[in-house]
Amino acid sequence: MQAVILLSAVVLGLVFGRIFRFTLPDWSTEVILYALVFAVGLDLSKERIERRFLKNITIAVFSTLFGTLSFVLLSSLFLPLKKLEILAAASGFGWYSLSAILITSSYSAYLGSISFFSNVLRELLGIVLVPFGMKVSKLGTISVAGATSMDTLLGLVASYSDRETALISFGHGFIVSMLVPVMVNFFLGLLK
């Protein structure tokens, strides 16, 4: 139900902005996002960090890397791009703003656009899957969220799971976000 409310809110915001030509200042969404992460962090501060959290975070990070890169290598058989280009675009792991800028500024605006679109789709897929996926596989669902598991989707993960899973989601998103510039630049370096 919460996924329907979230998607409805996005559509309502789009319609409202189009009809009334209303736009928020660029900085405001970032401030609201930081406030949301701060509130979730306050909630998570009640939890003790144990060794099993680190083990689950490590499993989720490796699942994200292996699953994403394996899937895009398989997809490269059907796409008219070089394997390294597809790997670079997918290495945004959901952080569409950073990966698109990195790829556009140092390689190609066309591939940067593909990276932006594919990583936005990953985030939207995560929004739709989190309410259902948490019942099937918590770590698998966190892996689908990619880098957004520590910010945009953290509130959703926290509301459909427990504090332990939210803590794992935050740790996973933090590590995957740190890997985004490393992985994108690594694959771009192999292309040059």
Side-chain angles (χ1 to χ4, degrees), residues 32-46 154-155 158:
I32 292 168
L33 182 62
Y34 288 137
L36 174 68
V37 172
F38 177 75
V40 173
L42 281 179
D43 191 44
L44 291 176
S45 68
K46 301 170 192 167
L154 183 59

Side-chain angles (χ1 to χ4, degrees), residues 61-92:
V61 168
F62 279 108
S63 299
T64 301
L65 297 177
F66 180 75
T68 301
L69 299 179
S70 299
F71 180 76
V72 297
L73 278 176
L74 184 65
S75 300
S76 70
L77 298 173
F78 309 102
L79 298 172
L81 295 169
K82 297 175 187 171
K83 284 183 176 57
L84 289 173
E85 290 176 332
I86 296 172
L87 288 168
S91 293

